[in-house]
Amino acid sequence: MNCELQNILDKTASDCRKMTRNGKQATYIPELAKTDPGLFSLSATTVDGATFSAGDSGALFSMQSIAKIISLSFSLEMFGYDYVFARVGMEPCSEPFNSIMKLEMTSSIPLNPFINSGAIVIAGIMAERFGRGAIDHLLEFAWKMAGRKRRLCVNERVFMSENSTADRNRALAYFMHSIGTLSAVDKSLILYFKLCSIYADTNDLSVMGGTLANAGLNPITGERVLSRETACTVTGLMSVCGLYDESGEFAVKVGVPAKSGVSGGIICAVPGKMGLAVFSPLLDAGGNSVAGMETLSRLSREIKLRGM
Ligand code: GLU
């Protein structure tokens, strides 16, 4: 199986890398526009701890929205389900990830922790409790999920770039402050930008996905990083709202819990089987990696990710 899986990854990577000419890079965070658009990497980590990679594995990129998995998992472990879901909802959202409209029209709390407003609230919970030390707790937790020798860190250039072009996120945060949903605006935003700027490669992300797929047990180190309940909650949310407005299409074409980010990464947790991660910076109109979506659709069929 292992040799076969490596062959499938190699073949899929070589086919899908040709699609790295389609789509558009995210430029609203200027630093993201500097990434080589031709990069492509693909990694898998099975729940029994075997890892595989193809393409430009080792290419680092900022996690962006994928890091919302880390902050949600950590908050659930630290503060518990009831506390977290009193502050954010768990329903999919049909508006763009940075929309203010739904928040104003329907509810005083963000619809879910994967849209920006929800992730800023989660960052706020952490900033309230840990102050400036919050990012170190998150990096430590991310490193345990990734189970690699190299420590994960914030890319300061991406952080500065986000921080200086964040009018939309500031608008969301100030709006939430005005209705009593968020207390410390600046501290929450700074933590949120740092979180999005964590640098990782697809190897790191596939182990993180493997940890979720393995009910919270890191398949490489054997360490229990999060509880089975947290893994179920996070993967449940990934299934319904992990791919922005294309979550439905992704559920049909790929059918596994996943989370994407605007830098072009997508992480998957295939319960009881493996973690997968793909990276290619050019995005479709929904903000998801064009080559990444195609790669995961093909792999879903080739290796029967849905188990049927
Ligand atoms: N840092 C990005 C933002 O706040 C994350 C967006 C994303 O990856 O969805 O806009």
Side-chain angles (χ1 to χ4, degrees), residues 23-263:
K24 277 198 182 141
Q25 214 152 352
T27 51
Y28 74 101
I29 299 170
E31 198 60 32
L32 295 186
K34 297 183 185 165
T35 313
D36 174 357
L39 286 172
F40 178 94
S41 69
L42 173 62
S43 300
T45 299
T46 60
V47 293
D48 54 15
T51 58
F52 308 89
S53 280
D56 306 304
S57 69
L60 290 164
F61 55 95
S62 58
M63 289 179 71
Q64 296 301 328
S65 267
I66 295 174
K68 293 170 183 171
I69 288 175
I70 299 169
S71 52
L72 175 63
S73 302
F74 185 77
S75 312
L76 286 166
E77 290 292 300
M78 285 305 302
F79 307 109
Y81 182 98
D82 291 341
Y83 187 82
V84 169
F85 288 110
R87 307 281 297 264
V88 291
M90 53 176 85
E91 296 303 332
C93 177
S94 54
E95 306 303 322
F97 66 99
N98 56 5
S99 169
I100 204 163
M101 197 167 75
K102 268 278 190 306
L103 193 58
E104 193 175 14
M105 283 170 56
T106 57
S107 149
S108 61
I109 61 169
L111 273 176
N112 69 64
F114 291 158
I115 51 175
N116 285 11
S117 52
I120 293 168
V121 165
I122 298 285
I125 295 173
M126 295 208 47
E128 280 162 24
R129 172 68 74 89
F130 297 110
R132 282 166 180 257
I135 187 63
D136 296 325
H137 286 284
L138 283 173
L139 286 169
E140 175 82 15
F141 186 76
W143 177 66
K144 285 186 180 167
M145 279 185 88
R148 312 224 25 240
K149 291 207 179 73
R150 178 176 49 75
R151 290 240 164 205
L152 297 171
C153 57
V154 170
N155 181 299
E156 289 298 325
R157 287 192 317 276
V158 177
F159 165 68
M160 301 293 278
S161 190
E162 296 227 11
N163 192 23
S164 59
T165 54
D167 291 348
R168 188 90 190 179
N169 285 325
R170 281 186 211 289
L172 280 171
Y174 277 110
F175 176 72
M176 290 193 289
H177 183 64
S178 77
I179 58 172
T181 303
L182 185 74
S183 51
V185 167
D186 287 331
K187 283 190 191 130
S188 307
L189 285 171
I190 294 289
L191 181 60
Y192 171 74
F193 300 144
K194 288 195 168 166
L195 179 72
C196 292
S197 308
I198 295 175
Y199 245 33
D201 61 26
T202 54
N203 296 301
D204 299 316
L205 298 188
S206 77
V207 185
M208 288 185 189
T211 301
L212 288 168
N214 200 26
L217 215 59
N218 184 309
I220 304 290
T221 63
E223 184 183 358
R224 173 155 298 284
V225 183
L226 43 114
S227 66
R228 170 180 293 273
E229 291 71 29
T230 294
C232 290
T233 303
V234 174
T235 50
L237 276 164
M238 289 162 76
S239 297
V240 291
C241 42
L243 276 283
Y244 309 115
D245 310 345
E246 292 174 343
S247 298
E249 185 182 333
F250 189 84
V252 171
K253 290 187 175 162
V254 184
V256 299
K259 181 78 200 85
S260 58
V262 289
S263 51

Side-chain angles (χ1 to χ4, degrees), residues 12-13 15-24 37-42 250 264-266 278-284 288-299:
T12 311
D15 289 350
C16 292
R17 144 162 254 149
K18 295 178 192 132
M19 303 183 70
T20 56
R21 271 168 254 129
N22 307 341
K24 277 198 182 141
L39 286 172
F40 178 94
S41 69
L42 173 62
F250 189 84
I266 307 178
V278 60
F279 167 60
S280 168
L282 299 190
L283 310 178
D284 63 19
N288 294 305
S289 166
V290 175
M293 293 285 268
E294 178 61 20
T295 299
L296 294 169
S297 304
R298 287 187 192 207
L299 287 179

